Amino acid sequence: MTVLRSIESKLESLFEGVFGRAFRANVQPVELARKLVKEMDEHRNVSVSRVYVPNEYTVYLSAADRAQFEGYEDSLRDELQEYLAGHARRENYVLLSSPRVKFESDDDLDVGMFGIATRLAHSSRPKQQPDAPAAQAEPGATMIYDASVLNEAAAAAATLSFAGRSHEIQGERAVLGRSKDADIQVADPNVSRRHAEIRREGEAWVLVDLDSTNGIDVGGRRLRRLDLQDGTRFVLGSTEFFFSEERR
């Protein structure tokens, strides 16, 4: 039985989907496995009868930490993917494809620190035309419906404005932060690298704190989660944001 397979309980301490705490030694595979599972749990999307979870995970490591895996990085990747798949089966989560793990080096990270970015990526199969009959799913496959086609009439354009600029939210979620990998970059030293995430939940939008240093500030109160409505204002670090939504 491998080290990863010996883990039988879920992790209690969090990882921001983002950058974790510093460890005294190099990052260890067992820690990566635990935090990947935590990220899967944290990014659940509940539909009518299913719970969908991300199927793509990017692990950011310092050059020194990644170098220690050089001789077996491919094997480690396979084992982490298998571990995530097993966790999803135990929790009855739905994956749009087998879990995929990718390693990236980040010069901004110190030894013992790592980051994880998640993504729920749809199948690469061609989209079904709106007026065509539903395609038959292969045995055991998940049928995917294009919500942008089915709910086009109810779709809304969401925009986030700050520092004199406006950004339309693309897709179902967007990460805000200083990181070059953030979907919406914020040039504010008081904003964390991956500070918060805007998510669509049904027809509504919410803002979720990614365990940032300063959190989400609304009228002097620090929140972990904020329901967004047209006209909502909030502060990340020293920057004020204005959320607007317009029905198409």
Side-chain angles (χ1 to χ4, degrees), residues 44-219:
R44 292 173 295 179
N45 286 278
V46 181
S47 69
V48 177
S49 60
R50 297 178 177 179
V51 179
Y52 293 91
V53 290
N55 53 336
E56 291 190 359
Y57 300 79
T58 302
V59 179
Y60 295 92
L61 298 161
S62 68
D65 276 317
R66 191 174 181 188
Q68 69 174 324
F69 304 137
E70 184 175 359
Y72 64 102
E73 185 174 293
D74 289 345
S75 296
L76 176 60
R77 181 188 301 109
D78 291 343
E79 194 166 13
L80 290 171
Q81 291 172 166
E82 186 177 346
Y83 184 64
L84 283 169
H87 180 72
R89 286 193 298 270
R90 289 191 296 273
E91 298 296 326
N92 292 319
Y93 293 154
V94 175
L95 290 156
L96 298 184
S97 69
S98 299
R100 295 189 291 273
V101 175
K102 179 171 66 173
F103 291 106
E104 296 283 354
S105 299
D106 191 321
D107 294 336
D108 292 336
L109 293 175
D110 295 326
V111 172
M113 297 184 68
F114 62 95
I116 298 177
T118 66
R119 192 163 78 99
L120 197 157
H122 289 273
S123 169
S124 59
R125 73 180 59 171
K127 291 182 180 179
Q128 184 71 35
Q129 293 300 317
D131 56 351
Q136 295 297 316
E138 296 177 1
T142 301
M143 180 68 78
I144 307 301
Y145 296 95
D146 191 337
S148 64
V149 174
L150 297 177
N151 300 312
E152 184 176 358
T159 302
L160 196 63
S161 302
F162 65 97
R165 294 173 297 160
S166 294
H167 302 263
E168 184 171 347
I169 308 302
Q170 303 293 330
E172 299 295 305
R173 58 179 69 217
V175 173
L176 286 67
R178 287 188 296 107
S179 172
K180 61 185 178 183
D181 298 310
D183 299 300
I184 299 177
Q185 295 183 339
V186 184
D188 181 341
N190 295 311
V191 169
S192 297
R193 289 173 54 88
R194 296 170 63 84
H195 196 111
E197 184 176 65
I198 291 181
R199 303 173 186 170
R200 183 192 287 276
E201 294 187 353
E203 294 185 11
W205 291 92
V206 298
L207 180 68
V208 179
D209 179 41
L210 297 177
D211 199 41
S212 63
T213 301
N214 297 315
I216 303 167
D217 186 286
V218 179

Side-chain angles (χ1 to χ4, degrees), residues 7-13 34 37 41 44 83 87 91 93:
I7 304 173
E8 296 182 354
S9 61
K10 289 191 267 181
L11 249 82
E12 318 261 359
S13 60
R34 290 170 174 172
V37 161
D41 291 339
R44 292 173 295 179
Y83 184 64
H87 180 72
E91 298 296 326
Y93 293 154

Side-chain angles (χ1 to χ4, degrees), residues 235-247:
V235 175
L236 301 183
S238 304
T239 303
E240 183 177 37
F241 295 78
F242 178 78
F243 178 83
S244 59
E245 186 177 25
E246 180 180 357
R247 291 287 168 182

